[in-house]
Amino acid sequence: MSVEFRLPDLGEGIHEGEIVEVLVSVGDRVLDGQPVMVIETDKATTEVPAPVSGVVKEIRVKPGEVVKVGAVLMTFEAEGRAVAAAPPEKDVSREKAGGLEAPPGGGETRPAVTASKEPPAAAPSTRRLARELGIDLRQVAPSGPGGRVTPEDVRRHAELQGRKPAAPSPQAAVAEEEAPVARTAAPEAAPAPSPAGEPLGACDPHGAIERVPLRSVRRATAKHLARAWAEIPHVSHQDVADITELDAFRRKHKAEIREAGGALNMIVFVLKAAVAALKAFPGFNASIDPEREEIVFKRYYNIGVAVDTDRGLIVPVIRDVDRKSVRELAVELLDVAERTRRGKAEREEMTGGTFTLTNIGALGGTAFTPIINHPQSAILGMGQARLQPVVRGDLERHEIVPRLLLPLIVAFDHRIVDGADAARFLGMIIEALENPEELLLVI
């Protein structure tokens, strides 16, 4: 039976992907669930598994091509009855385990283990996990739909065998001072279109050029930021916070947070200070509904934290920041930032943000102007904290003392809030950061 394999739904808001690599050739025999190609979207790099066991009959795409959801990728001469293609799982390294699948319900009956010579149905990440744990998938009782083996099945089997998961990657031991940082720049004007078919590296009247297509994360970023810049009337307000005492508190407790698996960097404290200000000034935790001409105030606090990766700027979302302690945030932030850099963060972790925090401080500079993450109404930027001389007192009696100052800038949607609101909003954040005891009451 000939089966057309179409690009499945890649998740909410994702309509296309770029073919990174085709892993099979025409005439190759593949098994159901075997990776056949790698696709990159603005969210992640994904292995796409074969929907059936059979022989590759035709390949209709090639690396570098951008394809829409529903487009035919390849055809198979299937062995037996074809099954629907399952959504692909995210995997950038193709070496370590991917995301978890939901465990089966308590009332389900688990199928018996079979002794078939053919590998059982399982997603690529599940197969990798089994290899890491030294588990034979044919010995694992499947609980997934259609008799598929899930990661939970493999872990449960490993526990029964007395085996432990693989050790975490060395990247998990990131120094506590390292914080997720973002490269932020206003969108540049688009170049004028060139004649079709102009070869790469051709010369124009001014000199040699090279043309590089916008792809995956960079392409999505360009569209997203251009829309935000065009639709939102941006206004910025800037100030500095004296974090001398707060930094002393951070240094005092960073070792115990490290033991808990987190990193106590300044972003953690800014998150807690920001969420208190968002509750006091709800216009910064809102969005515009232009169709109904309404302001939508969010009564939950999911803050995106911009992370600088080798694929571009990616913004995972920390959910319910107001309900989490400093310790919990320090652990979660380090984990999600590390997984985002490795392309391991789940798609769901990139959605649902109500406000964004971006930190350029680790790269230097005194100030910058962040672009609001549409459709949010505001974004808070952090500059580099520097030890600077500060004058205390008045003209008659004063002293000059060294203080650690943190530049902060808030960009906001002027349709929703005004400059005076921004000054009060940022002032509340600064007051919390400058008074660690007060900040601890907030957290």
Side-chain angles (χ1 to χ4, degrees):
M1 174 187 291
S2 182
V3 176
E4 285 189 339
F5 181 34
R6 299 176 182 272
L7 180 62
D9 185 0
L10 299 173
E12 182 180 356
I14 301 177
H15 308 292
E16 63 185 18
E18 179 189 341
I19 305 298
V20 175
E21 184 180 3
V22 179
L23 305 176
V24 295
S25 302
V26 173
D28 287 353
R29 183 177 181 276
V30 299
L31 298 174
D32 179 13
Q34 175 183 334
V36 293
M37 66 179 57
V38 180
I39 291 181
E40 185 175 21
T41 71
D42 60 319
K43 303 296 185 184
T45 300
T46 302
E47 274 188 349
V48 180
V52 295
S53 294
V55 177
V56 180
K57 184 177 179 182
E58 181 184 11
I59 299 174
R60 299 190 185 180
V61 294
K62 57 185 178 181
E65 186 176 346
V66 176
V67 294
K68 304 284 187 182
V69 169
V72 177
L73 304 177
M74 58 180 65
T75 59
F76 299 94
E77 193 62 40
E79 298 175 355
R81 193 162 62 94
V83 296
E89 296 195 28
K90 174 166 72 290
D91 174 54
V92 68
S93 67
R94 305 206 300 279
E95 295 176 356
K96 293 191 169 89
L100 299 180
E101 295 179 12
E108 287 191 47
T109 302
R110 297 173 59 80
V113 179
T114 63
S116 170
K117 294 182 180 180
E118 293 286 351
S125 62
T126 305
R127 298 183 190 280
R128 282 190 303 277
L129 178 59
R131 288 196 299 270
E132 289 177 356
L133 298 178
I135 299 297
D136 184 351
L137 280 177
R138 291 171 294 186
Q139 300 301 317
V140 179
S143 66
R148 284 179 177 268
V149 178
T150 71
E152 280 302 315
D153 296 333
V154 174
R155 292 186 179 89
R156 190 178 298 109
H157 186 85
E159 289 177 2
L160 293 175
Q161 298 294 318
R163 304 184 187 185
K164 295 182 179 180
S169 64
Q171 291 96 327
V174 178
E176 65 275 6
E177 267 67 41
E178 182 181 351
V181 296
R183 293 188 296 259
T184 306
E188 297 180 2
S194 61
E198 183 174 289
L200 188 67
C203 293
D204 68 10
H206 305 285
I209 63 170
E210 178 184 6
R211 295 187 181 277
V212 179
L214 283 172
R215 293 278 170 81
S216 58
V217 174
R218 179 54 54 194
R219 185 178 184 215
T221 299
K223 290 182 178 179
H224 187 71
L225 294 184
R227 179 184 180 187
W229 191 254
E231 294 185 9
I232 301 175
H234 283 61
V235 180
S236 298
H237 178 80
Q238 184 175 332
D239 208 335
V240 294
D242 185 336
I243 58 170
T244 309
E245 279 76 24
L246 183 59
D247 188 61
F249 175 86
R250 182 190 69 84
R251 293 178 182 277
K252 179 180 177 181
H253 295 281
K254 67 179 183 178
E256 64 185 78
I257 298 298
R258 188 191 303 118
E259 290 178 2
L264 193 58
N265 53 56
M266 200 56 61
I267 290 181
V268 176
F269 297 111
V270 175
L271 280 171
K272 294 304 293 185
V275 79
L278 290 172
K279 288 185 175 183
F281 299 92
F284 294 86
N285 200 60
S287 60
I288 286 277
D289 183 344
E291 302 247 339
R292 301 177 63 173
E293 295 187 335
E294 294 176 343
I295 300 175
V296 181
F297 294 98
K298 317 292 177 61
R299 301 306 183 188
Y300 56 98
Y301 304 91
N302 298 344
I303 300 182
V305 179
V307 176
D308 186 24
T309 76
D310 58 4
R311 294 181 295 128
L313 185 67
I314 301 178
V315 186
V317 176
I318 307 296
R319 283 172 161 73
D320 301 318
V321 174
D322 58 320
R323 301 180 183 179
K324 295 174 181 174
S325 66
V326 164
R327 183 188 299 270
E328 290 172 325
L329 287 174
V331 173
E332 182 176 350
L333 183 60
L334 178 62
D335 171 65
V336 74
E338 196 250 348
R339 287 188 293 107
T340 298
R341 291 190 184 99
R342 291 166 46 217
K344 291 290 185 178
E346 299 291 336
R347 293 185 185 92
E348 292 75 16
E349 294 179 282
M350 308 295 165
T351 63
T354 62
F355 182 79
T356 298
L357 175 63
T358 179
N359 174 30
I360 202 74
L363 299 179
T366 58
F368 67 105
T369 305
I371 297 178
I372 298 169
N373 190 3
H374 185 280
Q376 298 169 16
S377 62
I379 182 171
L380 179 65
M382 299 170 57
Q384 185 179 62
R386 295 178 177 177
L387 198 62
Q388 298 184 42
V390 173
V391 180
R392 285 182 167 178
D394 54 31
L395 288 175
E396 295 181 357
R397 301 182 62 181
H398 60 267
E399 61 176 350
I400 299 177
V401 295
R403 306 294 290 179
L404 187 62
L405 302 184
L406 173 67
L408 295 171
I409 182 167
V410 59
F412 57 94
D413 187 337
H414 209 341
R415 297 172 299 177
I416 299 177
V417 291
D418 298 323
D421 299 319
R424 297 185 187 101
F425 173 77
L426 195 55
M428 184 173 181
I429 293 175
I430 290 172
E431 184 178 358
L433 295 176
E434 291 184 343
N435 297 278
E437 292 185 4
E438 180 178 334
L439 181 59
L440 290 176
L441 290 177
V442 173
I443 60 184

